[in-house]
Amino acid sequence: MRALPVGDDALLVEVASGEQAQALHAELLRRRAEGSLAVREIVPAARTVLLDGLADPVRWASELTSSEVPPAPPRARELIELPVRYDGPDLAEVAAHWKVSEHEVARIHAGTEFTVAFCGFAPGFGYLTGLPARYDVPRRATPRTAVPAGAVALAGPYTGVYPRPSPGGWQLIGTTEAVLWDHARVPAALLSPGTRVRFVPVGEP
């Protein structure tokens, strides 16, 4: 674990894996809830956690890097189900990479319970983990200039859903009509770190 100062009152903590980042995020949330950590924002990413609004970043850098972080507790967050039609233009390519049929890609993906590891890229975009490592897929060699809102996509170990039209290089395997980001909704983001997600097939791939 390594802690790097960011400005006057923030700290970026680097760890070795996504699992460690999730465990650290959970532990920091626990400390803030019990009152032993005063911090404005705790923001997880792939292998880092940002603490923003710390009164004494130097002390916390020393304390965090010298302490053991317990494993993340079992997820007790709500389960969100996203209806998905497995009709993406890269479905056949993913099936070939996995060495299965297109129908089997849909079955495997829909049979997995995902967890939002962190959010980023665009408002409402969650990086979902849950698929075994053997189903990692590379990004497209040539990114698309426009990916439609609601596209369900894979890249590396992650599943994501594009909340709005944007460029993107992920492999598109399906489509959902779920609204991932709505500024009139509280909270605006449908997905947040720790949320459990399942994809529910509609129609045939």
Side-chain angles (χ1 to χ4, degrees):
M1 186 186 301
R2 186 168 69 143
L4 305 172
V6 180
D8 295 329
D9 62 354
L11 202 62
L12 184 69
V13 184
E14 296 181 340
V15 292
S17 68
E19 290 77 13
Q20 290 180 22
Q22 292 176 43
L24 177 60
H25 180 236
E27 173 64 11
L28 294 172
L29 290 176
R30 185 193 67 78
R31 293 190 187 192
R32 183 169 67 175
E34 74 176 12
S36 63
L37 171 62
V39 62
R40 185 169 56 248
E41 296 284 348
I42 304 173
V43 184
R47 291 193 236 351
T48 63
V49 179
L50 175 69
L51 293 89
D52 187 28
L54 280 172
D56 191 350
V58 174
R59 179 177 73 83
W60 278 105
S62 175
E63 180 168 334
L64 290 173
T65 54
S66 62
S67 63
E68 290 289 330
V69 177
R75 300 291 187 184
R77 298 286 294 273
E78 64 179 318
L79 174 67
I80 290 180
E81 294 186 340
L82 300 179
V84 57
R85 185 179 297 277
Y86 287 97
D87 57 0
D90 300 321
L91 186 63
E93 187 172 337
V94 171
H97 187 78
W98 287 5
K99 296 181 172 58
V100 300
S101 67
E102 294 180 24
H103 179 79
E104 186 69 359
V105 170
R107 188 195 69 78
I108 292 168
H109 192 260
T112 301
E113 182 176 299
F114 294 89
T115 299
V116 181
F118 58 97
C119 297
F121 169 63
F125 189 97
Y127 289 75
L128 281 59
T129 58
L131 284 171
R134 65 182 179 275
Y135 296 126
D136 287 8
V137 297
R139 293 170 182 261
R140 289 177 53 82
T142 303
R144 292 181 170 91
T145 57
V147 175
V152 178
L154 306 178
Y158 301 113
T159 289
V161 181
Y162 284 78
R164 62 186 183 188
S166 66
W170 289 33
Q171 307 281 358
L172 308 184
I173 64 169
T175 309
T176 180
E177 295 183 1
V179 178
L180 277 292
W181 178 266
D182 181 355
H183 64 84
R185 181 174 58 198
V186 180
L190 180 64
L191 306 179
S192 60
T195 301
R196 298 156 52 222
V197 179
R198 274 195 180 274
F199 292 90
V200 179
V202 293
E204 292 294 325

Short mmCIF file of all heavy atoms in Angstrom, two decimals, residues 119-123 125 127 162-164 166-168:
data_model
loop_
_atom_site.label_atom_id
_atom_site.label_comp_id
_atom_site.label_asym_id
_atom_site.label_seq_id
_atom_site.Cartn_x
_atom_site.Cartn_y
_atom_site.Cartn_z
N CYS A 119 -17.05 3.76 -9.93
CA CYS A 119 -17.72 4.49 -11.01
C CYS A 119 -16.74 5.47 -11.64
O CYS A 119 -15.78 5.92 -11.01
CB CYS A 119 -18.94 5.24 -10.49
SG CYS A 119 -20.23 4.15 -9.83
N GLY A 120 -16.98 5.82 -12.89
CA GLY A 120 -16.11 6.75 -13.56
C GLY A 120 -16.41 6.81 -15.04
O GLY A 120 -17.45 6.31 -15.49
N PHE A 121 -15.53 7.41 -15.82
CA PHE A 121 -15.62 7.56 -17.27
C PHE A 121 -16.71 8.56 -17.65
O PHE A 121 -16.46 9.52 -18.35
CB PHE A 121 -15.86 6.20 -17.95
CG PHE A 121 -16.23 6.29 -19.41
CD1 PHE A 121 -15.33 6.83 -20.32
CD2 PHE A 121 -17.46 5.87 -19.85
CE1 PHE A 121 -15.68 6.93 -21.67
CE2 PHE A 121 -17.81 5.97 -21.20
CZ PHE A 121 -16.91 6.50 -22.11
N ALA A 122 -17.95 8.33 -17.20
CA ALA A 122 -19.05 9.24 -17.47
C ALA A 122 -20.01 9.15 -16.28
O ALA A 122 -20.06 8.13 -15.59
CB ALA A 122 -19.77 8.86 -18.76
N PRO A 123 -20.79 10.20 -16.01
CA PRO A 123 -21.75 10.14 -14.91
C PRO A 123 -22.69 8.94 -15.06
O PRO A 123 -23.31 8.76 -16.11
CB PRO A 123 -22.51 11.47 -15.03
CG PRO A 123 -21.56 12.39 -15.71
CD PRO A 123 -20.80 11.53 -16.67
N PHE A 125 -21.72 5.74 -15.01
CA PHE A 125 -21.07 4.54 -15.55
C PHE A 125 -20.40 3.78 -14.41
O PHE A 125 -19.48 4.29 -13.76
CB PHE A 125 -20.02 4.93 -16.60
CG PHE A 125 -19.44 3.75 -17.35
CD1 PHE A 125 -19.95 3.39 -18.58
CD2 PHE A 125 -18.41 3.01 -16.82
CE1 PHE A 125 -19.42 2.31 -19.28
CE2 PHE A 125 -17.87 1.94 -17.51
CZ PHE A 125 -18.38 1.58 -18.74
N TYR A 127 -18.28 0.34 -13.10
CA TYR A 127 -17.42 -0.76 -13.50
C TYR A 127 -17.82 -1.98 -12.66
O TYR A 127 -17.59 -2.01 -11.46
CB TYR A 127 -15.95 -0.41 -13.26
CG TYR A 127 -15.42 0.64 -14.22
CD1 TYR A 127 -15.76 1.98 -14.08
CD2 TYR A 127 -14.58 0.27 -15.26
CE1 TYR A 127 -15.27 2.93 -14.96
CE2 TYR A 127 -14.09 1.21 -16.15
CZ TYR A 127 -14.45 2.55 -15.99
OH TYR A 127 -13.96 3.49 -16.87
N TYR A 162 -23.27 1.89 -20.92
CA TYR A 162 -23.08 3.29 -21.31
C TYR A 162 -24.33 4.09 -20.94
O TYR A 162 -25.42 3.80 -21.43
CB TYR A 162 -22.82 3.39 -22.81
CG TYR A 162 -21.42 2.97 -23.22
CD1 TYR A 162 -21.07 1.63 -23.31
CD2 TYR A 162 -20.46 3.93 -23.51
CE1 TYR A 162 -19.79 1.25 -23.69
CE2 TYR A 162 -19.17 3.56 -23.89
CZ TYR A 162 -18.85 2.22 -23.97
OH TYR A 162 -17.58 1.83 -24.33
N PRO A 163 -24.19 5.11 -20.06
CA PRO A 163 -25.36 5.87 -19.63
C PRO A 163 -25.84 6.89 -20.65
O PRO A 163 -26.98 7.36 -20.57
CB PRO A 163 -24.87 6.57 -18.36
CG PRO A 163 -23.40 6.67 -18.53
CD PRO A 163 -22.97 5.49 -19.34
N ARG A 164 -24.98 7.23 -21.61
CA ARG A 164 -25.36 8.20 -22.64
C ARG A 164 -24.50 7.93 -23.86
O ARG A 164 -23.47 7.26 -23.77
CB ARG A 164 -25.15 9.62 -22.14
CG ARG A 164 -23.70 9.95 -21.80
CD ARG A 164 -23.58 11.32 -21.18
NE ARG A 164 -22.18 11.67 -20.91
CZ ARG A 164 -21.82 12.74 -20.22
NH1 ARG A 164 -22.73 13.55 -19.72
NH2 ARG A 164 -20.53 12.99 -20.03
N SER A 166 -21.67 8.06 -26.43
CA SER A 166 -20.29 8.52 -26.28
C SER A 166 -19.38 7.62 -27.10
O SER A 166 -19.76 6.51 -27.47
CB SER A 166 -19.87 8.50 -24.81
OG SER A 166 -19.82 7.18 -24.33
N PRO A 167 -18.15 8.08 -27.38
CA PRO A 167 -17.18 7.17 -27.98
C PRO A 167 -16.86 6.04 -27.00
O PRO A 167 -17.03 6.18 -25.79
CB PRO A 167 -15.95 8.08 -28.21
CG PRO A 167 -16.47 9.48 -28.14
CD PRO A 167 -17.63 9.44 -27.19
N GLY A 168 -16.37 4.92 -27.52
CA GLY A 168 -16.02 3.83 -26.62
C GLY A 168 -15.38 2.67 -27.34
O GLY A 168 -15.66 2.42 -28.52
#
